[in-house]
């Protein structure tokens, strides 16, 4: 297990290095920040000064070398726009995103597993049909549309919930509800499919012959075996949320990492873009390793 | 008080499928008493498991429907009980074990938990259940049970897993144990041990044992009475001896006639002929593990050489290294003087034509998305020098007729054929390349006895017509006895004994071979009783 973790950590590090190269050079292709930060009629000297100050005049490879050198010391540089260390800006936003993702995925996982398992047990029944119908709608509905419609109904129309921002518990409800729908639909389908096959497996037949009640048959014998493909999809969906739910965060004015990334790209605040990508990448690598560990915990036949 | 412990009266069960209604069992009646062993004998599709599934409430309705009948347990009709009442009987008073214990044990829970669970489900406190689980594991012969109680099913051998299933079933000291093909996937010596264990436990507890099997040998070994089923109906009932010696129904006669191991043994071939295949000291290692060591044997043209041995004996490794599906780590395999082990890719490609393989499970070895025509003619796509394209159709038809299939079915897909027919397709596919040597890896093991006999007859005919040599890998000794010229016995990666078939069966030298022969079951209960005594003697000798 330790050897496996070391190997995974090492592989992640290589990927991260690739990511640094890719993002650094791609972001430079988007144009010169001076045209954005300084007024249109700024003098050539002030432009020159700005470039000099932020090191934009050096050859690009020198800039890259300097950036990597700083990175090794966990110095992501200063945000051009916010005059604060880029990493602080990103971590602040990341905490918001992490909370949002954690709460949403916990709710999604519990709901999808319980409803999907019951639907699979009563396959073809009324409960199954209703669950399948709504999960398909959920998995296919575009989230920007749901976000806007829900603001129209619950904030503007009924006036129950705030339209955007943070502050109270009420502010969290709409973003979580909107983010919930798609992963819930998807994961429910995976749970249901996986449970249908484990419920028809030979060991479930044994459990029935032993005289077990339905509840242990479904939630002890079938579910744990059905979880492996489900965990893969949960990881996938959680990664999407950790990346920042760009659209939903923007619509609800939620100060998460997705909104920060979009803003920074538009502002050519490269240091922040890079720091944000690195932080989310590290988070996703960590999560994938956790999922691999979870596989081994759930299935004793998997040993690394 | 009821007449019998368990009585099935006029049971009829239908399955409603997309293709129409299947009458799985029709008007079936039998009974079982305390301390008695009843065998239900039948081939696949005979409905032999259906009445047991009905007793255990394991038939899903729909698609199943219990049309009529009564299932009287201690005089009470199970079919009139509520689901809760039946769940309470399951495991506590009627327990069941299955074929293939690996898939019937839950892979993600420890065996201790699974054995204890049958007791906790019926109200036994946790600690007590665990203590009893340990006791049961010891009773069924799991070595170091105390250390193994928290192990998972995949950490045990096949025979041990079946022992664990038995331990689980006995948790609540049931009145009836239903065993559905409990030894089918096991090696002969392990099969004998499991059947011995079941008999011992039955003597201890006086439970009624219902044994569902396709194997007349198993019936001869353990059954008091036997019910023979065919196409959902009971065709014959009686004691095991009666049914074997005086079968009245034509189906029973046919079934007994198809059992291998009673025919003439083949004469050895003239060894002066130059062998087609000569294997010298071939070996295969996987890391530190030696799967095959110093294997030497020869095959003559037109000869059938059988390789027998239990799982892990190295017989499949021998076939794989011979065909270069795996590379041998030492030794040589001379095919008509040319070494297969060191041959380069181009030469090997040309030679592959002459050595073909037929696998155990035609359901898996035939591509389900290719028609029979595509499967067979693919040989000509790969080796275009055999036949010009305009002759393919005619040749495929000819091959299908040669293996006894209807040539007009060549555009059908594998799933539209029965198991026996699929194996014929696999043989036709091998023949398409006009091979001289065919390696059959457990080629008839998955088939019913009567189908098995037909495929063996086919292989014999093809050998006569085409002069084929067979390297026939099998675990079923009676089958080998009727079919092979020479027999090679393997154990733990080594060849322990080889010789003409009569010598191996009538005068085996090695103790391992004698054990193997003593453990294989004979369909005649009287012969089997003698063999059983011999087996127990051998055990004591060891």
């Amino acid at each position: 297990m330790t050897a496996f973790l070391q190997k995974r950590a090492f592989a992640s590090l290589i990927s991260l290095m690739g990511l640094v190269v890719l993002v650094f050079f791609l972001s430079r292709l988007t144009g010169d920040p001076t045209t954005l930060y300084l007024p249109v009629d700024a003098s050539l000297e002030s432009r020159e000064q700005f470039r000099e100050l932020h090191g934009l005049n050096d050859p690009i490879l020198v800039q890259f070398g300097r950036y990597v050198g700083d990175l090794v010391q966990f110095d992501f540089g200063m945000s051009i726009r916010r005059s604060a260390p880029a990493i602080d800006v990103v971590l602040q936003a990341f905490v918001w995103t992490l909370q949002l993702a954690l709460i949403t995925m916990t709710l999604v996982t519990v709901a999808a597993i319980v409803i999907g398992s019951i639907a699979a047990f009563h396959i073809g029944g009324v409960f199954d049909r209703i669950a399948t119908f709504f999960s398909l709608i959920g998995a296919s509905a575009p989230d920007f549309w749901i976000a806007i419609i829900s603001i129209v109904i619950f904030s503007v129309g009924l006036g129950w919930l705030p339209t955007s921002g943070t502050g109270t518990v009420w502010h969290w409800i709409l973003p979580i509800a909107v983010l919930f729908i798609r992963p819930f639909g998807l994961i429910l389908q995976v749970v249901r499919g996986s449970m249908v096959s484990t419920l028809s497996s030979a060991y479930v037949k044994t459990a029935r012959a032993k005289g077990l009640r339905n509840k242990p048959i479904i939630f002890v014998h079938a579910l744990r075996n059905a979880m492996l493909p489900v965990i893969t999809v949960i990881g996938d969906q959680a990664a999407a949320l950790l990346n920042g739910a760009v659209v939903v965060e923007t619509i609800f004015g939620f100060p998460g990492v997705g909104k920060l990334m979009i803003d920074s790209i538009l502002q050519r605040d490269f240091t922040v873009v890079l720091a944000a990508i690195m932080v989310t990448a590290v988070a996703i690598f960590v999560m994938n390793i956790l999922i691999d560990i979870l596989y081994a915990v759930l299935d004793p036949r998997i040993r690394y | 008080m009821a007449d019998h412990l368990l009585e099935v009266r006029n049971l009829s069960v239908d399955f409603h499928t997309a293709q129409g209604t299947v009458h799985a069992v029709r008007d079936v009646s039998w009974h079982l008493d305390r301390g008695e062993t009843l065998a239900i004998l039948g081939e696949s599709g005979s409905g032999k498991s259906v009445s047991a599934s009905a007793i255990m409430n394991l038939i899903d309705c729909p698609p199943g429907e219990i049309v009529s009948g009564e299932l009287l347990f201690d005089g009470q009709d199970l079919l009139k009980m509520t689901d809760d009442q039946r769940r309470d009987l399951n495991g506590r008073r009627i327990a069941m074990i299955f074929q293939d214990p690996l898939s019937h044990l839950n892979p993600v829970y420890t065996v201790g938990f699974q054995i204890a669970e049958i007791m906790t489900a019926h109200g036994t406190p946790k600690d007590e259940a665990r203590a009893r689980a340990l006791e049961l594991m010891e009773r069924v012969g799991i070595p170091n049970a105390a250390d193994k109680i928290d192990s998972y099913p995949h950490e045990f051998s096949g025979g041990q897993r079946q022992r664990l299933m038995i331990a689980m079933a006995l948790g609540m000291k049931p009145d009836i144990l239903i065993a559905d093909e409990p030894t089918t996937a096991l090696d002969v010596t392990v099969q004998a041990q499991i059947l011995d264990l079941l008999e011992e436990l039955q003597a201890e507890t006086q439970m009624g044992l219902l044994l569902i099997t396709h194997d007349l040998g198993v019936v001869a070994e353990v059954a008091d009475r036997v019910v023979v089923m065919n196409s959902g109906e009971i065709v014959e009932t009686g004691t095991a001896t009666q049914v074997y010696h005086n079968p009245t129904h034509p189906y029973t006669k046919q079934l007994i006639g198809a059992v291998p191991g009673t025919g003439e043994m083949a004469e050895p071939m003239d060894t002066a002929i130059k062998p087609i295949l000569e294997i010298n000291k071939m070996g295969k290692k996987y890391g530190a593990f030696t799967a095959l060591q110093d294997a030497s044997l020869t095959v003559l043209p037109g000869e059938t050489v059988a390789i027998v041995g239990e799982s892990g004996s190295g017989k499949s490794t021998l076939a794989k290294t011979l065909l270069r599906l795996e590379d041998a780590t030492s030794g040589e395999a001379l095919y008509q003087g040319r070494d297969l082990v060191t041959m380069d890719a181009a030469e090997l490609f040309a030679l592959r034509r002459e050595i073909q393989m037929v696998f155990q499970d035609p359901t898996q070895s035939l591509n389900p998305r290719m028609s029979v025509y595509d499967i067979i003619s693919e040989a000509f796509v790969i080796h275009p020098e055999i036949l010009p394209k305009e002759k393919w159709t005619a040749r495929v038809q000819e091959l299908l007729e040669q293996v006894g299939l209807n040539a007009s079915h060549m555009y059908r897909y594998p799933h539209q054929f029965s198991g026996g027919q699929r194996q014929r397709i696999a043989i036709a596919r091998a023949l398409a390349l006009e091979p001289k040597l065919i390696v059959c890896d457990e080629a008839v093991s998955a088939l019913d006895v009567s189908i098995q006999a037909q495929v063996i007859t086919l292989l014999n005919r093809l050998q006569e017509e085409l002069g084929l040599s067979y390297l026939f890998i099998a675990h079923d000794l009676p089958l080998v006895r009727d079919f092979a010229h020479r027999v090679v016995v393997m154990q733990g990666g080594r060849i322990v004994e080889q010789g003409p078939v009569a010598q191996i069966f009538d005068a085996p030298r090695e103790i391992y071979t004698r054990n193997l022969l003593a453990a294989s079951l004979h369909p005649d209960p009287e012969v089997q009783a003698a063999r059983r005594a011999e087996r127990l003697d051998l055990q004591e000798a060891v």
Side-chain angles (χ1 to χ4, degrees), chain A residues 206 210-212 220-221 225, chain B residues 87 104 106 109 114 117 122:
Chain A
T206 309
K210 280 159 90 171
L212 295 192
V220 176
H221 283 275
N225 281 285
Chain B
R87 189 159 28 208
H104 281 90
N106 195 324
Y109 292 102
Q114 293 187 63
E117 195 187 23
H122 294 285

Side-chain angles (χ1 to χ4, degrees), chain B residues 194-498:
Chain B
I194 295 286
L195 293 177
D196 284 345
L197 175 65
L198 283 174
E199 280 189 293
E200 268 174 52
L201 293 168
Q202 185 186 30
E204 262 172 49
T205 60
Q206 282 303 303
M207 61 186 176
L209 180 59
L210 175 65
L211 191 80
I212 299 161
T213 183
H214 70 282
D215 189 341
L216 266 164
V218 172
V219 172
E221 167 78 3
V222 294
D224 299 316
R225 284 185 305 120
V226 55
V227 166
V228 185
M229 289 195 67
N230 180 33
S231 320
E233 285 174 347
I234 292 180
V235 295
E236 186 137 2
T237 339
T239 66
T241 319
Q242 258 172 18
V243 169
Y244 183 77
H245 288 289
N246 302 304
T248 53
H249 195 276
Y251 175 77
T252 320
K253 288 180 187 161
Q254 182 206 327
L255 203 62
I256 292 169
V259 173
T262 49
E264 288 281 302
M265 284 191 271
E267 292 291 318
M269 296 195 56
D270 180 6
T271 46
I273 318 172
K274 201 171 165 348
I276 188 167
L277 178 72
E278 208 177 337
I279 300 177
N280 287 322
K281 292 194 175 284
M282 201 154 71
K284 171 73 187 170
K285 283 186 180 166
Y286 295 96
F289 175 71
T290 307
L292 186 68
Q293 199 176 358
D294 288 340
S296 302
L297 62 93
T298 55
V299 181
L300 303 175
E303 188 185 34
T304 301
V305 176
I307 302 178
V308 299
E310 300 189 288
S311 41
S313 63
K315 54 192 197 299
S316 289
T317 308
L318 179 65
K320 278 188 240 164
T321 45
L322 178 64
L323 290 158
R324 282 280 291 272
L325 299 175
E326 303 262 1
D327 281 324
T329 35
S330 61
E332 55 175 15
L334 301 174
Y335 177 80
Q336 295 186 325
R338 289 180 290 168
D339 187 7
L340 290 164
V341 173
T342 52
M343 193 173 277
D344 66 39
E347 206 182 342
L348 186 68
F349 177 79
L351 224 144
R352 281 254 155 88
R353 264 193 67 179
E354 299 187 19
I355 309 176
Q356 280 299 301
M357 186 147 182
V358 176
F359 296 91
Q360 173 169 9
D361 185 354
T363 317
Q364 285 177 32
S365 63
L366 299 175
N367 188 332
R369 310 215 190 286
M370 283 168 81
S371 72
V372 170
Y373 171 81
D374 290 332
I375 288 170
I376 296 175
S377 65
E378 194 181 30
F380 314 132
V381 178
I382 298 168
H383 294 275
E385 73 282 3
I386 300 177
L387 208 63
K389 194 162 184 182
E390 58 273 14
K391 291 192 181 157
W392 288 7
T393 313
R395 177 70 178 136
V396 170
Q397 283 173 338
E398 191 188 356
L399 282 165
L400 285 176
E401 274 160 14
Q402 199 166 21
V403 296
L405 290 173
N406 188 336
S408 65
H409 291 170
M410 70 177 167
Y411 295 112
R412 293 193 179 180
Y413 289 84
H415 72 267
Q416 292 169 293
F417 295 87
S418 69
Q421 288 173 325
R422 273 183 225 146
Q423 201 56 298
R424 286 170 192 263
I425 297 169
I427 293 169
R429 187 203 58 77
L431 290 178
L433 288 162
E434 298 161 17
K436 296 198 173 69
L437 172 67
I438 298 184
V439 178
C440 304
D441 190 357
E442 299 278 4
V444 296
S445 306
L447 305 175
D448 281 326
V449 215
S450 51
I451 310 295
Q452 217 172 46
Q454 290 167 14
V455 174
I456 291 293
T457 311
L458 169 69
L459 289 172
N460 267 326
R461 180 166 61 79
L462 292 171
Q463 184 166 54
E464 272 167 35
E465 286 173 12
L466 307 169
L468 297 171
S469 303
Y470 295 125
L471 199 57
F472 190 82
I473 297 168
H475 69 278
D476 186 353
L477 293 165
L479 188 77
V480 164
R481 182 185 175 278
D482 290 357
F483 179 53
H485 294 96
R486 231 146 31 79
V487 180
V488 174
V489 184
M490 292 191 71
Q491 182 197 16
R494 290 166 171 277
I495 293 176
V496 291
E497 184 165 6
Q498 58 178 311

Side-chain angles (χ1 to χ4, degrees), chain A residues 67 71 73-97 255-257 260-261 264 269-279:
Chain A
Y67 182 75
L71 212 56
Q73 303 162 45
F74 293 100
D75 179 0
F76 287 78
M78 296 292 283
S79 160
I80 299 177
R81 183 70 175 218
R82 285 160 234 255
S83 47
I87 189 72
D88 292 353
V89 176
V90 170
L91 285 179
Q92 222 171 22
F94 188 73
V95 171
W96 286 104
T97 295
V257 84
L260 177 68
M261 248 192 272
S264 307
D269 198 346
F270 298 140
T271 50
V272 175
V273 174
L274 274 164
I277 289 175
M278 297 303 284
V279 167

